[in-house]
Amino acid sequence: MSDTPQLVYFFGQGRADGTAAMKDLLGGKGAGLAEMTNLGIPVPPGFTIPANLCIAYLESRQFPPRLAGQVEQALQRLETATGRIFGAADNPLLVSVRSGAALSMPGMMNTILNLGLNDTTVEGLARRSGNPSFAWDSYRRFVQMYGHVVCGVDGDAFEALIQDRLAACGVSRDIDLPVDEVRALVAGFRELIASRGTSPFPDRPMDQLWGAIAAVFESWHTRRARDYRELHGIPDTLGTAVNVMAMVFGNSGEDSATGVAFSRNPSTGTSELYGEFLVNAQGEDVVSGARTPQPLAALGQVMPEAYRQLEQVARTLERHFRDVQDLEFTVERGRLYMLQTRRAQLTGQAAVRIACDMVDEGLISEEEAVARIPPDDLNQLLHPTLAPDAELELLTTGLPASPGAASGTAVFDADRAEALGRQGEAVILVRRETSPDDFHGMVAARAILTARGGMTSHAAVVARGMGKPCVAGAQEVSVTEPGDACQVNGRRLAEGDWLTVDGTTGRIYAGRAELVTPEVGPDFQRLLGWADRFRNLRVRVNADTPADAHRGRDFGAEGIGLCRTEHMFFEEDWISWVRQVILTDSQKTRDQALARLLPEQRADFEGIFEAMAGLPVTVRLLDPPLHEFLPKEEKQLAQLAEQMEIDPATVADKAEALAEFNPMLGHRGCRLGLTTPEIYDMQVEAITRAACGLKARGIDARPEIMVPLVGSVNEMIRLRERTSAVVERVKSELGVEIEIPIGTMIEVPRAALVADKLAEHADFFSFGTNDLTQMTFGYSRDDAGRFLPDYVESGILPFDPFERLDAEGVGQLVEMAASRGRQRRRDLKLGICGEHGGEPNSISFFESCGLDYVSCSPYRVPVAR
Ligand code: PEP
Ligand code: MG
């Protein structure tokens, strides 16, 4: 061996140069091919050019000097292995060139098949195979793919030429075209490339190969690849490997086929070989959705031996990798070849079921099972379904490609979907079939509907990965592209028309539907039970109604971390009493209004405390900006004036005087509690009475009282004193002994800075990271939506800080407040109740800060657990 670095890794014969462990270098596909080779599974011979060369190439647009020599040697080895010669007129070796990064990026990168064909070698292939149709079909595909991927000609231009030919010949499938027509098509393709391509179509196979390798490297930088990486947090520095593999032909006749298989059902998790295939076809046909494939079980009838072998391979690979495998295979004249193995993307439902089954089968441990479920996957299990009694007009049915239901308005173009989605509109992307170029539109859509394609079509795979509902292959939907409408069974659906897509059943309905969230099944509970054993953080729910409290408890919440009390005040019957408290100058009017509110609040709290019996409930005293309470309409003013027995103009003047320029930073939270203390007094009394009343009935109510928006120690000192006094008064009046901790939110940056002082007067801190983010960045929560998407897209911010905690900035305040608070008071309880409490990345950060619990909305509780 020389010291020359190895730039090419051979597989498919003897022992491969690589192994599964070399994924970073060889990419998932290359590493999988090497591992399959080493397991003795039939893989066509080939070689991998590693991913580190991709990044080097993209920097210099040059290949390393020794690569050419090593590629030539590898090609010679391929020639020996196959008995064919690359570029030979007589018996040509053809190869496929595919990308493959370390992390799976389905459909994101480009593939070229049948490379090595030209006007001469195609004749050799025709003679050798005795099948000119097959040879010309292969050539046609190659020129088309190469023309699109390497020479940059729009894919639709080729499709248009094909459609013309099909129409002229009166046939519907490309494989039914006579050979002479295919020849003419190839000539037409080559003319198209010559006139519109960014580079000419090369005749020499060696030039074809280098063009293809460069194109694979370049595709790392395409918009769709970057979008995908951004969504999935895949680093740009990874690069993609290139796999060059001897072609095997699934399109060599009726004894040949190609398909995809999963070692278990990726949609439901059932333990069965699952997938689809096409006879006499190449891989593209299955994934592109151009022809609708057959379910894999049917392969058992048409090619029983190959099917049996495939089952065996799937079992071997699943046991070896101890995970569900997603396989690509080709049968060439009855012989099975494996082209790819990788970890399957599963729906949340399948992931949970399979994790439990694999624990039962002794394949993985409980801890591994928990670690395997991406938290976001659980979201899918909790996705809405159609309300059972929803009365909807069924339009048509397609394949149930990704579960869950959604309603939205139809859009027929990815850019449009993105633009409307950004404006907050619920849209459903309707396409004939999707391609990676539609990715940004799929991200923006609530659901995806395609007229063509199978369960493994691009639309299906990508939607499942994103946990979005998708119905694919809805044949009765006819979409003309480009366009702004479609026809379904003779009915026209235009942009803006509402429709409902149920990805669990494959049904498409007209109009908008009521949705419900499903019950959580036993596997899910089992898995969460294991998760509970392995976690340190407690999980609470943000709930301000008994119904939400029950739901949170059912999902496993261990208390309420934030009970917002204002919703009760906004109810139609009560809002005017609240307005009186705020607007009146008369103590009598105020007392009367508060007296009306007290029993209501108390009843509300009783319901919530009872639902959470035995578990803590953190009740936050009134918080929202003042303007939300002020009357705005004539009718409200008139009603209020009548109740208060004063002139409407006086009420209007008073309301106007209280109006603020910036209510979010205005007379809000504890500031209002200090200037109109009777409101908090009433709330504290209601809490204490509710708790004492329940206690007397033997129900273990555990309220905690939380003061919002504190920024200075004196606010806390005064409010704590006043709160304690009310609690004590009510307790002694009712003769009930109960411990009610009093704490503060940390949501103003200054509170974090003086956390040590605050800790002297607070029994607990709860981080209000919504406001803390707003005030730390200085971005208004209500207006940031106008520029944050641009900020994220252009890379100014790596993500939306209202969704995921900005650990670098806001996180410093959390860390500091936690540690300063605990230094002063070791038993200080710490929690977080902002929206970040249900976001997986943020939760890890909170755990690292030593917080005791996170609190989030009910449906996110399982994710947090
Ligand atoms: C917060 O600010 O994080 C919080 C929980 O309070 P709200 O969202 O009600 O302002
Ligand atoms: Mg807040």
Side-chain angles (χ1 to χ4, degrees):
M1 282 295 285
S2 69
D3 311 334
T4 317
Q6 186 169 2
L7 304 179
V8 160
Y9 293 76
F10 205 84
F11 58 76
Q13 205 192 30
R15 241 200 114 67
D17 292 340
T19 65
M22 293 160 73
K23 224 169 152 174
D24 282 348
L25 192 66
L26 304 181
K29 194 172 289 162
L33 289 165
E35 193 77 1
M36 286 198 285
T37 305
N38 296 337
L39 289 168
I41 289 169
V43 168
F47 56 89
T48 305
I49 301 171
N52 52 358
L53 298 196
C54 172
I55 298 304
Y57 174 82
L58 289 173
E59 277 163 11
S60 63
R61 292 298 187 283
Q62 257 166 4
F63 294 113
R66 292 202 176 81
L67 183 63
Q70 294 195 25
V71 165
E72 262 161 47
Q73 275 173 16
L75 274 173
Q76 278 162 20
R77 216 176 139 188
L78 265 187
E79 291 173 344
T80 314
T82 57
R84 296 173 179 151
I85 307 288
F86 195 51
D90 180 33
N91 186 18
L93 167 68
L94 304 190
V95 296
S96 65
V97 178
R98 296 172 203 254
S99 64
L103 293 165
S104 151
M105 294 172 63
M108 286 293 127
M109 310 291 282
N110 299 313
T111 293
I112 294 165
L113 302 181
N114 310 327
L115 187 141
L117 284 174
N118 54 30
D119 289 349
T120 317
T121 54
V122 70
E123 300 296 357
L125 184 65
R127 272 195 306 279
R128 274 276 166 168
S129 62
N131 188 346
S133 299
F134 149 71
W136 278 93
D137 182 50
S138 304
Y139 189 25
R140 190 271 298 167
R141 290 162 185 277
F142 171 51
V143 179
Q144 183 176 352
M145 279 188 248
Y146 203 93
H148 176 51
V149 172
V150 185
C151 309
V153 177
D154 186 14
D156 289 344
F158 294 103
E159 280 301 330
L161 289 181
I162 296 178
Q163 294 303 330
D164 288 351
R165 282 280 146 187
L166 290 175
C169 300
V171 294
S172 63
R173 301 185 312 168
D174 48 14
I175 49 173
D176 297 328
L177 284 173
V179 177
D180 285 344
E181 291 295 331
V182 182
R183 264 179 211 273
L185 204 50
V186 170
F189 283 0
R190 295 197 54 165
E191 276 167 30
L192 183 69
I193 298 171
S195 64
R196 291 210 219 153
T198 48
S199 57
F201 178 82
D203 271 316
R204 280 189 53 218
M206 211 53 180
D207 295 339
Q208 294 172 353
L209 181 60
W210 287 109
I213 293 170
V216 169
F217 282 164
E218 293 286 351
S219 72
W220 183 250
H221 268 356
T222 55
R223 156 133 196 224
R224 61 192 194 225
R226 276 186 282 126
D227 283 351
Y228 188 90
R229 290 201 292 274
E230 190 181 304
L231 189 79
H232 292 266
I234 300 173
D236 282 339
T237 50
L238 228 49
T240 177
V242 181
N243 298 291
V244 178
M245 182 156 76
M247 283 298 302
V248 282
F249 297 98
N251 58 337
S252 2
E254 295 301 312
D255 55 354
S256 302
T258 190
V260 294
F262 294 85
S263 57
R264 301 191 193 212
N265 187 315
S267 210
T268 61
T270 317
S271 186
E272 59 180 357
L273 188 64
Y274 178 88
E276 45 198 17
F277 74 104
L278 280 168
V279 170
N280 198 8
Q282 283 200 332
E284 299 316 292
D285 304 327
V286 181
V287 271
S288 77
R291 278 162 63 190
T292 304
Q294 285 181 274
L296 196 56
L299 186 69
Q301 273 113 54
V302 267
M303 300 173 195
E305 184 49 31
Y307 183 74
R308 200 197 47 76
Q309 221 187 329
L310 181 63
E311 276 185 317
Q312 179 82 42
V313 166
R315 247 194 318 272
T316 307
L317 288 170
E318 189 180 280
R319 301 235 139 236
H320 181 71
F321 289 110
R322 302 189 315 126
D323 210 339
V324 186
Q325 298 299 298
D326 168 349
L327 308 163
E328 277 179 25
F329 66 91
T330 285
V331 181
E332 186 186 57
R333 307 222 162 116
R335 249 188 99 175
L336 176 76
Y337 292 93
M338 301 309 297
L339 308 184
Q340 171 165 313
T341 186
R342 63 179 174 195
R343 206 171 68 79
Q345 298 234 15
L346 306 171
T347 61
Q349 188 193 347
V352 167
R353 168 153 183 194
I354 291 170
C356 289
D357 284 353
M358 285 189 165
V359 168
D360 294 338
E361 290 162 25
L363 217 53
I364 58 174
S365 68
E366 291 171 2
E367 214 158 341
E368 278 174 294
V370 172
R372 274 198 187 171
I373 311 289
D376 283 337
D377 270 17
L378 299 184
N379 280 326
Q380 292 181 21
L381 281 184
L382 307 161
H383 271 175
T385 52
L386 295 177
D389 52 355
E391 285 189 6
L392 288 164
E393 186 199 346
L394 182 67
L395 288 176
T396 183
T397 304
L399 299 171
S402 180
S407 289
T409 58
V411 258
F412 300 87
D413 172 272
D415 292 341
R416 250 335 252 156
E418 188 182 41
L420 291 170
R422 216 180 248 181
Q423 287 164 25
E425 291 216 37
V427 294
I428 293 189
L429 182 63
V430 182
R431 302 279 291 152
R432 184 155 57 198
E433 55 205 308
T434 62
S435 77
D437 297 329
D438 293 311
F439 188 74
H440 58 295
M442 300 174 76
V443 172
R446 295 280 167 94
I448 294 123
L449 165 61
T450 66
R452 294 205 194 151
M455 293 290 281
T456 46
S457 63
H458 177 266
V461 171
V462 173
R464 276 204 292 272
M466 294 194 285
K468 278 189 193 202
C470 173
V471 171
Q475 320 257 1
E476 289 174 317
V477 178
S478 107
V479 190
T480 5
E481 286 173 14
D484 56 359
C486 70
Q487 298 280 338
V488 191
N489 285 325
R491 176 175 166 153
R492 187 168 185 273
L493 264 183
E495 189 187 287
D497 287 350
W498 279 88
L499 78 164
T500 296
V501 169
D502 187 348
T504 315
T505 60
R507 298 204 179 106
I508 315 290
Y509 305 91
R512 176 178 195 170
E514 191 193 330
L515 304 172
V516 289
T517 296
E519 291 294 313
V520 175
D523 282 338
F524 190 63
Q525 299 287 19
R526 233 178 126 198
L527 203 87
L528 288 177
W530 296 331
D532 289 345
R533 290 217 311 268
F534 304 127
R535 71 184 157 88
N536 302 318
L537 275 173
R538 306 281 95 203
V539 177
R540 295 196 194 180
V541 64
N542 290 355
D544 40 19
T545 62
D548 274 351
H550 278 297
R551 191 166 301 128
R553 211 172 174 157
D554 289 347
F555 283 140
E558 299 159 288
I560 290 180
L562 174 62
C563 173
R564 294 181 167 104
T565 50
E566 43 273 6
H567 93 269
M568 314 166 180
F569 286 179
F570 286 117
E571 275 168 31
E572 203 176 326
D573 292 348
W574 306 108
I575 181 86
S576 63
W577 300 106
V578 183
R579 290 186 176 138
Q580 289 187 41
V581 176
I582 294 167
L583 290 171
T584 189
D585 292 325
S586 141
Q587 192 61 42
K588 188 165 149 249
T589 309
R590 179 169 295 147
D591 289 345
Q592 274 172 353
L594 286 164
R596 299 295 290 261
L597 289 167
L598 177 70
E600 279 315 305
Q601 281 259 286
R602 179 193 156 151
D604 262 329
F605 290 136
E606 268 172 7
I608 293 167
F609 297 161
E610 192 165 358
M612 274 290 159
L615 295 171
V617 176
T618 307
V619 182
R620 179 178 71 185
L621 301 178
L622 196 68
D623 175 60
L626 191 62
H627 77 293
E628 291 185 18
F629 291 112
L630 297 179
K632 287 164 207 91
E633 296 160 21
E634 289 286 324
K635 199 176 122 223
Q636 297 171 339
L637 279 170
Q639 188 192 355
L640 204 59
E642 194 186 318
Q643 272 180 358
M644 292 168 73
E645 295 172 356
I646 50 173
D647 174 24
T650 317
V651 184
D653 287 348
K654 184 84 190 181
E656 206 182 307
L658 287 175
E660 293 172 327
F661 284 108
N662 198 342
M664 266 291 181
L665 300 178
H667 198 172
R668 183 192 157 198
C670 68
R671 302 161 202 164
L672 189 61
L674 283 158
T675 53
T676 313
E678 298 90 339
I679 302 180
Y680 278 11
D681 288 351
M682 181 278 290
Q683 291 198 296
V684 173
E685 180 164 349
I687 294 165
T688 316
R689 284 192 184 277
C692 290
L694 290 172
K695 195 113 199 179
R697 283 164 44 206
I699 296 165
D700 185 10
R702 299 195 183 177
E704 304 172 335
I705 295 176
M706 177 157 79
V707 184
L709 233 65
V710 166
S712 103
V713 183
N714 285 336
E715 287 169 330
M716 191 61 205
I717 293 175
R718 292 194 191 179
L719 283 169
R720 176 165 193 133
E721 260 171 31
R722 193 150 175 143
T723 302
S724 298
V726 176
V727 171
E728 291 312 316
R729 170 169 62 76
V730 176
K731 277 179 8 187
S732 69
E733 182 195 316
L734 299 177
V736 177
E737 197 29 63
I738 185 168
E739 193 60 44
I740 304 185
I742 300 169
T744 179
M745 291 191 74
I746 304 286
E747 51 185 346
V748 174
R750 192 176 189 283
L753 298 169
V754 299
D756 48 347
K757 299 205 176 72
L758 283 173
E760 284 176 25
H761 309 281
D763 301 322
F764 62 87
F765 286 172
S766 178
F767 291 92
T769 47
N770 303 333
D771 272 308
L772 196 58
T773 299
Q774 162 169 265
M775 294 190 224
T776 303
F777 275 94
Y779 297 163
S780 155
R781 281 161 73 169
D782 301 322
D783 303 317
R786 306 229 178 119
F787 60 88
L788 273 182
D790 288 339
Y791 262 39
V792 174
E793 185 165 351
S794 63
I796 296 174
L797 289 180
F799 49 80
D800 177 343
F802 288 104
E803 183 182 321
R804 171 171 166 183
L805 190 89
D806 157 48
E808 184 185 40
V810 180
Q812 277 196 51
L813 290 170
V814 175
E815 243 171 346
M816 184 209 302
S819 89
R820 289 192 181 173
R822 281 250 171 85
Q823 265 164 29
R824 191 58 61 96
R825 184 168 174 167
R826 281 190 46 204
D827 65 344
L828 184 73
K829 188 136 39 108
L830 298 173
I832 126 97
C833 63
E835 282 308 300
H836 305 92
E839 194 282 316
N841 295 292
S842 314
I843 294 175
S844 316
F845 176 78
F846 297 131
E847 174 159 35
S848 74
C849 296
L851 266 51
D852 297 302
Y853 68 85
V854 295
S855 190
C856 54
S857 60
Y859 294 117
R860 295 175 91 186
V861 166
V863 177
R865 282 168 71 190

